[in-house]
Amino acid sequence: MMARYDILYFAWLRERIATPREQVESAAVTVADLVAELRARSPRHAAAFADLAAVRVALDQDLVGMDAPLAGGREIAFFPPMTGG
Amino acid sequence: MTKIPAPLFAEDELPRYARHIALREIGGPGQARLKRARVLVVGAGGLGSPVLMYLAAAGVGRLTIVDDDLVSRSNLQRQVVHAEDRVGLAKVDSARIGLAGLNPYVAVEPVPQRLDAGSAARLVTGHDLVIDACDNLETRHVLNAACTAQGVPLLSGAISQWEGQVTLYDPARGAPCFACLFPVIPAPGLAPDCAEAGVMGALPGILGAIMAAEAIKEIAGAGRGLRGRLHIHDALWGESREIAVRRDAHCPVCGPVHGETG
């Protein structure tokens, strides 16, 4: 079933995708499924999602794993560690 | 003859804290806790500047500052504890001069070296709170391991271009450690530093002031701190987010010390 999500990007993901947020319609079941769809949206998305080893995900402001189900969720945020001080 | 203990505050010191003492959540007892506190600040740069200035002004009794860098002119756009006439000085010495001008009743110990695996445990020892205001993830992991081992809360801030993150790592009291939240150091080139990527001058002021406020709350025992909550601020779009974070049941850093959370 298709659902509408608010996707938030932080730090280098935002830098590469060139927007802090977007809305997407998706039938993805898990975070990982959604990432696969986002990766295919544009070369910018592909670059942003090329290396997710250090990136963490929050579903409705709650830290989750890549295998977490999206069911009932509304907002998915992708945020890596920031380095600067 | 009974020995009278030395008073905590000098006579002309108290008036500077009058507006703190007027706050119900701080008051005289909270101000005394600030005076007795020993805080380690790692990094005297963008975040370290406002953190140090507000903590010194607030009357935190002892501040240890660790940084191996020298003040350069490109720092002055945001590292406001330093000054034009101190370019070339060690940042820890420049910061000490800046803080003495704000509050001469604070004991500042400058440590002009890089915190590393060999020195972290010794530097953390004896402090009630550690503040991570450094500029690289390797130091952040080393500092986290030392704080976790000694059960000292680690207030950590980080910035990038227009955005910042702040939280209180404290696995000894149920909150995650840095390695629970960010176990993986990004591949080279993914997370550029301030020199490569740029940073908006007031950004460390925003995040650093949040860190100073959280430190004052933690020491004085006021309000609700950031344990288990990662605060993200985006200054370009004027937005903040708060993400609930928890200990990783299998964290290799805090699990063996403070128990796996199962």
Side-chain angles (χ1 to χ4, degrees):
Chain A
M1 203 180 78
M2 297 294 276
R4 182 183 291 266
Y5 298 103
D6 288 319
I7 315 288
L8 308 185
Y9 303 111
F10 292 99
W12 80 70
L13 289 119
R14 185 183 83 177
E15 178 73 5
R16 288 177 186 198
I17 296 172
T19 184
R21 60 166 68 214
E22 60 186 340
Q23 280 205 330
V24 302
E25 298 263 352
S26 171
V29 175
T30 67
V31 172
D33 297 339
L34 179 69
V35 165
E37 287 183 16
L38 292 172
R39 209 177 247 141
R41 279 172 83 87
S42 78
R44 284 181 166 279
H45 287 77
F49 286 109
D51 182 351
L52 287 180
V55 175
R56 303 309 308 268
V57 186
L59 178 62
D60 292 334
Q61 291 96 54
D62 207 25
L63 187 70
V64 295
M66 284 286 173
D67 56 349
L70 293 172
R74 181 87 188 86
E75 178 189 280
I76 296 107
F78 295 93
F79 61 100
M82 292 176 195
T83 55
Chain B
M1 203 175 103
T2 44
K3 198 174 171 189
I4 298 166
L8 191 57
F9 296 100
E11 202 175 322
D12 59 345
E13 184 182 4
L14 268 180
R16 71 174 58 231
Y17 308 130
R19 302 300 183 273
H20 263 171
I21 293 168
L23 288 172
R24 185 178 55 231
E25 296 81 1
I26 296 180
Q31 194 62 48
R33 281 196 282 273
L34 288 166
K35 180 70 178 178
R36 290 194 195 95
R38 300 155 300 171
V39 177
L40 171 67
V41 179
V42 180
L47 291 172
S49 289
V51 165
L52 287 164
M53 293 169 83
Y54 277 116
L55 293 190
V60 167
R62 292 177 179 277
L63 289 171
T64 307
I65 316 172
V66 184
D67 198 311
D68 69 338
D69 207 0
L70 308 180
V71 179
S72 76
R73 198 153 270 115
S74 69
N75 298 149
L76 299 178
Q77 159 253 23
R78 65 195 181 285
Q79 301 186 14
V80 294
V81 77
H82 306 303
E84 175 69 22
D85 63 359
R86 302 202 289 272
V87 168
L89 270 190
K91 283 187 177 176
V92 292
D93 292 325
S94 167
R96 188 181 51 76
I97 294 167
L99 300 182
L102 268 175
N103 188 347
Y105 294 105
V106 175
V108 175
E109 189 190 344
V111 182
Q113 57 179 247
R114 195 171 183 85
L115 183 138
D116 58 23
S119 62
R122 181 175 49 79
L123 288 168
V124 166
T125 298
H127 293 94
D128 309 300
L129 176 67
V130 172
I131 299 185
D132 180 359
C134 82
D135 64 358
N136 69 89
L137 291 170
E138 289 73 19
T139 302
R140 291 180 189 278
H141 276 287
V142 166
L143 184 58
N144 176 62
C147 289
T148 297
Q150 298 186 32
V152 179
L154 174 62
L155 181 61
S156 179
I159 52 173
S160 171
Q161 297 188 320
W162 293 88
E163 293 168 74
Q165 301 170 336
V166 55
T167 190
L168 182 61
Y169 297 114
D170 194 9
R173 289 159 198 86
C177 82
F178 179 62
C180 291
L181 189 52
F182 296 117
V184 177
I185 293 182
L190 270 182
D193 63 23
C194 290
E196 297 169 51
V199 57
M200 193 269 286
L203 178 71
I206 299 168
L207 273 297
I210 292 173
M211 292 167 74
E214 292 301 323
I216 289 168
K217 285 163 56 186
E218 174 68 13
I219 295 164
R224 177 186 176 216
L226 287 179
R227 282 183 181 81
R229 299 190 292 155
L230 175 72
H231 182 82
I232 303 181
H233 182 73
D234 179 342
L236 188 57
W237 295 83
E239 290 185 344
S240 291
R241 270 287 178 290
E242 186 179 292
I243 292 166
V245 295
R246 61 190 67 81
R247 289 187 64 199
D248 175 356
H250 307 293
C251 177
V253 178
C254 70
V257 186
H258 299 292
E260 297 196 351
T261 58

